Amino acid sequence: MSKLVIVESPTKAGTIKKYLGSGYEVKASMGHVRDLYASKLSVDVEHDFAPKYTVIKGKEKLVKELTALAKESDEVYLATDPDREGEAISWHLATLLGLDIDKTKRVKFNEINKTSVQHGMENPSKIDMDLVNAQQARRILDRIVGYRLSPFISQKIRRGLSAGRVQSVAVRLIVDREEEIASFNPEEYWSITAKLTAPPSRKVFKANFIGDEKGKVELKNKEQTDEYMTLLDGALFKVVGVKKGVRKRQPSPPFTTSTLQQDASHKLGFTSKRTMKVAQELYEGIDVPGYGSIGLITYMRTDSLRISEESREAGNAYIRETYGEKYLPEKPRYFKTKNRTQDGHEAIRPTVPELTPDRAKGALTSDQYKLYNLIWKRFISSLMANCVQDTVKVEIRASKESMPDRYCTFTSSGYSVKFDGYTVLYQNSSENEDETENNTPPMKDGDELKLRGLLPEQHFTQPPARYTEASLIKMLEETGVGRPSTYASIISTITSREYVVREQKQLKPTELGTATTQLLKEQFPKIVNTKFTAGMESNLDEVEAGKMDYIAMLHSFYDDFDATLEKAKANMAGIKIQLEEDKTDIVCEKCGRNMVIKVSRYGKFLACPGYPECKNTKPYVEHTNGICPVCGGEVIGKKSKKGFVFYGCGNYPQCNFMTWDAPTEEKCPNCGSTLFKARGGVLKCHKEGCGYERKITRAKKSAETEESDE
């Protein structure tokens, strides 16, 4: 009988099967096969938190098939993903299949290509029980918090609520930021900008007021600004200092899970969930002409910045051949990883650096190409030489002959690229966002400048911005809350449970999220404390490293948590938090009251406020300004059984019009019907026979190039 290899996904199974040949049977477990019972706590807190596992519903047939194959096979290799979850899946499989844990062959692939797969198969290891115990500890912690805390907040706020150990901290960060915004008091300040030319050049450049003869000055109000405007009336502007320098910009390191999600959000508009889904596809394998079935990137759940020397040399060879020797640094660049980094995997990089995005494009979907292009460019650029820039800072003095002891100081600064280095390929997201290339003409000390205009401008300090997915992930990483593999699921959970909503890519807490967070802050301060949660993550890392007993760790958490829960129940006996209900103009046909919008675990619905006397409810629909292209009725938004939003005619079932595209305010220039926004940034008309569509374009800001009217 052949040898059996069990992986997690069928895509990965197909890729690996091609490398191993006919002597191997490769099967997919389709993720986890065993978990805690869903309908009960399934953790015996009285007996050292012993978990009670069962085969996941729907996986019984698969487990039976794998068990039969294992009995018939000469060898069984467990090749699940190389992380805690993957290690736990291998352990569960070994247990269910009746394999000897100490003799089971565990295989790990950091990248899916022929060399790595063959090397992994030739060097199997044992199941790492420290990793398994770290995963078990996390699962048990989350189950205890969820099953003990959720009924409490459901009783006090609303039925059907659930609380998560890490998700609750993420919601608190968003709620706290909203409170900062609400309590923010803007402060007034002013600026003065001079528009100047340096004859004989006619090009206008800008200089900013920074102070007077006494030093730096902060302009607080209009009166103070007007005094300086009076002083500057008729003043002569002269260069009193030119400081030139050279600045070197270093490329960013290759991606980790966190930075990949952040950059994909900034540059591609991807959610973290979408990013990880596409990255998984790239890792598991794609059939690329000329390369065969191959995993295009290394394992995408990592917080390490390490890369192999083989991949470094392959990347250097590509740079040398494509751009020339001068685009390589004098010495290889090594990026320092953070102290708590596990370093079990390399950074995210292409498995074959010579396989450029353009070469792979024909085999990839649009999303796969975009993400691979981002990962490939980030990796190659991280190996390249620094960008070298010439900088200049000009100090300008404005004074009158009649008042030689009084003057105002202005500065103008900028840069020009001396050597583009890595920027020929990749621009960091945060780089030069507030800076433009220098348009300051050549100047020297003593040059007299010509004033083309003075612009006094009022400003107000701005409140902190709401979190986006990218900035929330960055904060979670900085505070040590969660781990790379959990960021996407954290955000997905808090939005699906409607503790948080997205508004133009910003994350805003709902009233439900705010009320739940306030309750947890008052009664369970540790649960929503970032330092405490980060400490628990560090403890899990210690368990993974074999330095801490996971049973002792669970006791240290549970004993205090249980006491806090009992105290909270006593403190809030008979108390229920009331959420405000959104009233509508929809009249209850049974009693005449205006119905209100309520939220259940399944989403929004309309209910009569006269409950329990009147128990009338209706489905909630989102009203839009869209007009049905079939019958002229109103287009309304609805949710599918799986929670996806779609749009249909309000005259259903008489009219069956339905689309996943969102209606817009725009009308079709051909027929006047509503235009719908489709995927890919396209506006479409759904009127039969029309066929109008156009790409949505965004106006780009042009660089300011002003010339004098001399």
Side-chain angles (χ1 to χ4, degrees), residues 345-406:
H345 308 293
E346 293 185 50
I348 303 170
R349 61 167 177 82
T351 57
V352 183
E354 70 168 29
L355 179 52
T356 65
D358 285 343
R359 287 177 180 171
K361 190 172 184 178
L364 306 178
T365 65
S366 175
D367 279 5
Q368 289 170 348
Y369 170 75
K370 290 175 183 177
L371 197 66
Y372 182 63
N373 185 53
L374 201 65
I375 293 168
W376 185 88
K377 286 184 175 179
R378 175 83 164 220
F379 170 71
I380 296 294
S381 69
S382 73
L383 303 175
M384 297 177 77
N386 292 336
C387 172
V388 183
Q389 300 170 347
D390 287 328
T391 62
V392 61
K393 184 175 183 181
V394 180
E395 186 174 337
I396 301 164
R397 186 173 293 178
S399 62
K400 298 177 181 178
E401 290 184 4
S402 59
M403 303 172 64
D405 295 332
R406 294 292 315 276

Side-chain angles (χ1 to χ4, degrees), residues 505-577:
K505 294 189 177 181
Q506 295 181 326
L507 300 175
K508 180 183 177 182
T510 61
E511 184 189 0
L512 176 63
T514 302
T516 304
T517 298
Q518 190 58 40
L519 173 62
L520 293 175
K521 283 167 70 173
E522 291 174 358
Q523 302 297 330
F524 303 90
K526 283 187 177 180
I527 290 294
V528 287
N529 182 283
T530 54
K531 290 184 178 179
F532 177 78
T533 305
M536 296 300 295
E537 295 292 347
S538 295
N539 288 343
L540 289 169
D541 291 343
E542 292 290 290
V543 172
E544 179 175 330
K547 298 177 181 178
M548 181 180 288
D549 178 70
Y550 87 99
I551 300 297
M553 191 209 96
L554 291 170
H555 272 295
S556 68
F557 168 81
Y558 180 78
D559 295 346
D560 179 68
F561 171 74
D562 187 53
T564 303
L565 179 60
E566 294 306 315
K567 183 179 178 181
K569 289 179 179 178
N571 290 343
M572 298 194 69
I575 299 174
K576 186 172 177 65
I577 298 171

Side-chain angles (χ1 to χ4, degrees), residues 83-127:
D83 57 12
R84 284 181 194 166
E85 293 296 320
E87 206 71 20
I89 293 172
S90 283
W91 176 68
H92 286 301
L93 282 167
T95 304
L96 289 171
L97 303 183
L99 306 177
D100 186 333
I101 298 296
D102 294 326
K103 295 180 180 179
T104 298
K105 294 183 176 181
R106 172 76 169 108
V107 180
K108 297 180 182 180
F109 310 125
N110 184 54
E111 51 190 310
I112 309 298
N113 55 40
K114 190 170 185 178
T115 301
S116 295
V117 170
Q118 289 178 344
H119 181 269
M121 294 296 293
E122 290 168 2
N123 297 276
S125 60
K126 293 181 179 180
I127 292 175

